[in-house]
Amino acid sequence: MFYFYILKSILSHKYYIGSTEDLKNRLLLHNKGVVKSTKFNMPWRLVYSESFSNLKEARKRELQVKKWKNRLAIERLLKTF
């Protein structure tokens, strides 16, 4: 199983959008400061995820949401979760 996910920084309230095969481990990496792009806004919490049968589809969804570039659009999506 592969996942598209959205994290929210507890401190800065910024969002991070990504995809992975191991969601639990990936969240741990984000919160340990291993992921360069998220280490300055720790800690993170998972606020949304979708599962897919392959990485290609998860990444496709990730890119779709990243293209929105609109916090309000992301927050509308989160309301459905």
Side-chain angles (χ1 to χ4, degrees), residues 55-70:
L55 185 58
K56 182 179 178 181
E57 291 300 314
R59 289 242 168 103
K60 181 178 175 184
R61 179 65 164 148
E62 174 188 350
L63 293 175
Q64 177 189 33
V65 173
K66 282 182 175 180
K67 284 181 182 178
W68 293 348
K69 296 186 182 195
N70 183 328

Side-chain angles (χ1 to χ4, degrees), residues 9-47:
S9 170
I10 293 170
L11 295 179
S12 67
H13 303 287
K14 292 183 178 185
Y15 290 104
Y16 177 83
I17 298 166
S19 55
T20 187
E21 184 174 9
D22 186 345
L23 189 54
K24 185 177 178 180
N25 185 57
R26 189 66 175 159
L27 181 57
L28 280 172
L29 293 175
H30 282 292
N31 283 321
K32 285 183 178 183
V34 175
V35 181
K36 187 177 179 180
S37 59
T38 60
K39 70 180 180 179
F40 298 108
N41 292 298
M42 295 185 311
W44 294 90
R45 66 183 173 96
L46 179 67
V47 293

Side-chain angles (χ1 to χ4, degrees), residues 4-8 13-18 47-50 61-81:
F4 152 74
Y5 63 93
I6 301 175
L7 305 178
K8 186 173 185 179
H13 303 287
K14 292 183 178 185
Y15 290 104
Y16 177 83
I17 298 166
V47 293
Y48 186 83
S49 69
E50 295 177 13
R61 179 65 164 148
E62 174 188 350
L63 293 175
Q64 177 189 33
V65 173
K66 282 182 175 180
K67 284 181 182 178
W68 293 348
K69 296 186 182 195
N70 183 328
R71 185 179 183 91
L72 292 175
I74 292 169
E75 289 177 350
R76 277 194 301 271
L77 174 65
L78 297 179
K79 285 182 182 180
T80 66
F81 186 56

